[in-house]
Amino acid sequence: FSLLRKREMVTLPEGMCFLDDGVTLVVSCRDDNYFRYIDTSDGTELKVNMNPLGDDHVSFTVLDLVLSPNGKFILVSTDKSRLILYVVGTCHQLRNYYGATNDQLCQTRACFHPSGGLIYCTSQDQKIYCWDIKSQKVTCTLQGHSGVVRDVDISADGSSVITCSFDKT
């Protein structure tokens, strides 16, 4: 590997993910209301306001970005106990998910079930929350940690949810 390009952001970068084209990197920064779609082949940047009304008010910080299995949506984990599902390349908030407890001091992480029908998210209350994408309802909570859950992932076949925590497990 070698360094191809380095870019200074407006504030601290918090989340990033590649789109399915393998070239476009989406970046979010702390205390900023824009997605930055960066073409890694030439460095060009497209800014997309996350606010549906187009204003510059910052009401949440994006802490994690995850691309959906079909590549059409980006799941945003925020510091306000809220996950937001955006349509890629737009400010269109398709759905909002509430239930997990997360604030500005946590590093919320989320993942999609490979089917694209469920999302899982870490929470400061030592649980993993699972939502149905369409209904926006919590379908279950997974318990087993005695510390804040730091990360979550799921196996490619969807049969195993893996977590890690401040409890050292």
Side-chain angles (χ1 to χ4, degrees):
F1 296 101
S2 62
L3 178 64
L4 295 177
R5 187 171 280 106
K6 190 173 177 179
R7 173 185 297 252
E8 186 171 328
M9 305 305 284
V10 293
T11 63
L12 298 172
E14 284 286 349
M16 62 183 175
C17 68
F18 270 102
L19 297 185
D20 279 347
D21 64 8
V23 174
T24 307
L25 180 67
V26 184
V27 178
S28 64
C29 294
R30 183 166 285 278
D31 301 320
D32 185 43
N33 60 301
Y34 287 92
F35 289 120
R36 286 159 169 32
Y37 287 81
I38 301 169
D39 183 320
T40 58
S41 66
D42 63 14
T44 58
E45 177 182 309
L46 170 66
K47 285 175 42 178
V48 175
N49 194 330
M50 287 186 262
N51 295 331
L53 299 177
D55 61 279
D56 280 329
H57 179 70
V58 178
S59 59
F60 59 86
T61 291
V62 174
L63 299 174
D64 191 33
L65 299 173
V66 181
L67 186 66
S68 66
N70 67 7
K72 295 180 181 179
F73 309 105
I74 293 177
L75 181 64
V76 169
S77 300
T78 76
D79 63 343
K80 301 294 184 194
S81 298
R82 173 182 173 201
L83 282 80
I84 308 167
L85 190 65
Y86 283 91
V87 175
V88 168
T90 75
C91 66
H92 180 63
Q93 295 181 9
L94 191 61
R95 290 186 174 78
N96 287 270
Y97 304 92
Y98 298 94
T101 303
N102 293 303
D103 64 22
Q104 68 274 9
L105 299 177
C106 74
Q107 285 296 318
T108 310
R109 297 293 180 253
C111 66
F112 282 90
H113 186 275
S115 69
L118 300 170
I119 52 175
Y120 298 87
C121 177
T122 61
S123 181
Q124 286 176 290
D125 63 3
Q126 305 169 1
K127 299 175 188 171
I128 297 293
Y129 285 76
C130 177
W131 288 267
D132 179 271
I133 291 281
K134 291 181 182 175
S135 74
Q136 298 169 263
K137 296 193 184 314
V138 174
T139 60
C140 68
T141 56
L142 307 174
Q143 299 181 34
H145 287 290
S146 60
V148 173
V149 183
R150 296 289 293 149
D151 204 356
V152 61
D153 204 358
I154 191 163
S155 61
D157 66 1
S159 65
S160 299
V161 175
I162 294 89
T163 61
C164 60
S165 165
F166 274 129
D167 66 11
K168 300 180 185 174
T169 63

